[in-house]
């Protein structure tokens, strides 16, 4: 067993740590206040080669994998979860393509994301179907004019990065619309420029502002046969992409928690009260200690999950370990940011400090890409099925 990062990953961490301090930290508050897409941060990521971390070298990336991407996201999320989301979006929509897509799809769609000349987004959720993914109603019917082609109709919602994306990974029912069988759903690559593809309303969000979430409206969108990801009815394979994402979302949580705890610790060490500093009170020290222990536990879960995902261990038997990382790290982000607000007192509640923003940003992490309850259900299933067992 070896807990050391490889020299390459250690170098990546220090490079991104510097970049996050120089380019992300000074912009974090303004991104939240203005709600405008931070093109300068995207450009900084592109210049540093961070957009291709999880994309294999043969398709224009650096092949640092899920672990490399998670390490980068952890650093950036210390200051801005919006910036962390921008990095995450290099993997969420490309995952199904990397796992199940054809060579031609990989050659056509991955290099643009890696080089920062194209952006992508992921469309699974619909207003009536979030956790209950089999309830989606977006329909794909065979295109009468093109053998093997499809016509898509429906509306996706809450899609992160919908406005900036050049292409989308979209899930639609190819089988009986009423079916709840996995083979009734297929993943497609849909280009923004195609007829019938339109960005609908965007949402007013509590946090993680600057990268919009919103609707993608598909009206009679004709998709060529080459843009089916994997096989028709291959939902299960494409969904493996989501299992492999658990550590990447978890990294947004651990970075946020680290940033919040470090900030609050520095504050209480200089805040005078009752003739000493707030940091001198044992009650405060124990809260700091509990949070620090939680952070280290979450990092171990997350790094192991990333290591597993990079070894292709994201099928059913590994799900409980992947879900445990996402659950623990994102719930921790909510607790740690709440603690940071509390330790700063009134100051922590005001926009003079980043703590209130971290508190708002943290909450979405326990909802996206499988809520905490869904993750707990998956961990429980793993134990009940003996996938997670200690005997
Ligand atoms: C900021 C943000 C960005 C997002 N980005 C994207 C994106 O890019 N692409 C995309 O497709 N989607 C995206 N989503 C949607 C997200 O994936 C869903 O919100 C999530 O899957 C939960 O679905 P829901 O909101 O419909 O909640 P519901 O499924 O309606 O759940 C409501 C509550 O019921 C609980 N619940 C549901 N089922 C169970 C169960 N079986 N057991 C116990 N409790 C349960 C949930 O945990 C939750 O607390 C985003 C959401 C947010 C907030």
């Amino acid at each position: 067993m070896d807990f050391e990062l490889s020299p390459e990953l250690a170098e990546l961490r220090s490079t991104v740590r510097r970049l996050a301090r120089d380019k992300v930290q000074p912009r974090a508050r303004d991104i939240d206040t203005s709600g405008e897409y931070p093109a300068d941060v995207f450009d900084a990521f592109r210049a540093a080669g961070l957009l291709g971390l999880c994309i294999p070298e043969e398709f224009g990336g650096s092949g640092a994998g899920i672990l490399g991407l998670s390490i980068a996201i952890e650093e950036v999320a210390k200051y801005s979860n919006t910036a962390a989301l921008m990095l995450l979006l290099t993997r969420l929509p490309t995952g199904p393509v990397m796992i199940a897509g054809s060579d031609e799809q990989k050659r056509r769609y991955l290099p643009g994301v890696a080089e920062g000349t194209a952006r992508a987004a992921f469309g699974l959720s619909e207003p009536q179907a979030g956790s209950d993914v089999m309830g989606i109603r977006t329909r794909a019917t065979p295109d009468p004019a093109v053998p093997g082609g499809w016509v898509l109709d429906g509306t996706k919602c809450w899609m992160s990065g919908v406005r900036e994306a050049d292409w989308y990974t979209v899930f639609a029912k190819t089988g009986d619309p009423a079916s709840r069988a996995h083979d009734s759903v297929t993943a497609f690559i849909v280009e923004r420029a195609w007829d019938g593809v339109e960005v609908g309303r965007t949402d007013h969000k509590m946090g993680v502002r600057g990268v919009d979430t919103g609707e993608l409206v598909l009206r009679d969108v004709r998709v060529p046969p080459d843009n089916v990801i994997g096989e028709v009815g291959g939902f299960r394979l494409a969904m493996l992409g989501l299992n492999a994402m658990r550590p990447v979302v978890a990294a947004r949580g651990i970075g946020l928690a680290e940033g919040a705890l470090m900030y609050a610790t520095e504050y209480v060490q200089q805040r005078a009260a009752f003739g000493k500093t707030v940091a001198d009170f044992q009650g405060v020290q124990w809260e700091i200690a509990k949070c620090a222990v939680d952070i280290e536990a979450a990092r171990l879960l997350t790094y192991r999950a990333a290591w597993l995902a990079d070894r292709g261990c994201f099928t059913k038997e590994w799900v409980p370990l992947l879900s445990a990382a996402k659950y623990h790290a994102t719930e921790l982000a909510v607790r740690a940011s709440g603690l940071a607000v509390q330790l700063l007192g009134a100051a922590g509640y005001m926009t003079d400090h980043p703590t209130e923003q971290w508190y708002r940003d943290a909450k979405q992490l326990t909802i996206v890409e499988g809520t905490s309850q869904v993750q707990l259900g998956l961990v429980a299933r793993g134990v009940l099925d003996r996938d997670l067992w200690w005997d």
Side-chain angles (χ1 to χ4, degrees), residues 6 13 18 66 78 91 99 117 132 146 166 173 229 235 266 278 307 324 350 355 377:
S6 67
R13 168 178 285 163
R18 268 196 311 275
I66 295 279
K78 287 174 179 171
R91 178 58 171 71
I99 293 170
T117 53
D132 184 13
V146 181
D166 300 284
K173 280 257 166 91
I229 302 177
F235 177 70
E266 284 174 357
V278 172
W307 177 84
M350 308 302 169
T355 40

Side-chain angles (χ1 to χ4, degrees), residues 340-364:
V341 172
Q342 192 68 22
L343 289 181
L344 267 71
Y349 196 72
M350 308 302 169
T351 56
D352 303 327
H353 294 271
T355 40
E356 63 80 35
Q357 183 190 330
W358 289 330
Y359 194 45
R360 285 184 286 108
D361 284 357
K363 193 56 211 158
Q364 69 122 11

Side-chain angles (χ1 to χ4, degrees), residues 122-125 130-131 158-160 213 364 367-369 371 373:
F122 182 84
L124 179 57
S125 303
S131 308
W158 306 316
M159 196 194 282
S160 300
T213 68
Q364 69 122 11
I367 298 171
V368 292
E369 295 186 44
T371 64
Q373 289 72 26

Side-chain angles (χ1 to χ4, degrees), residues 139-151:
R139 286 293 318 270
T141 46
D143 185 342
V146 181
W150 295 86
V151 181

Side-chain angles (χ1 to χ4, degrees), residues 246 318-328 374-375 378-379:
R246 305 298 188 220
W318 304 104
V319 160
L321 296 181
L322 303 172
S323 288
K326 197 273 178 181
Y327 165 74
H328 188 62
V374 166
Q375 306 304 336
L378 292 167
V379 175

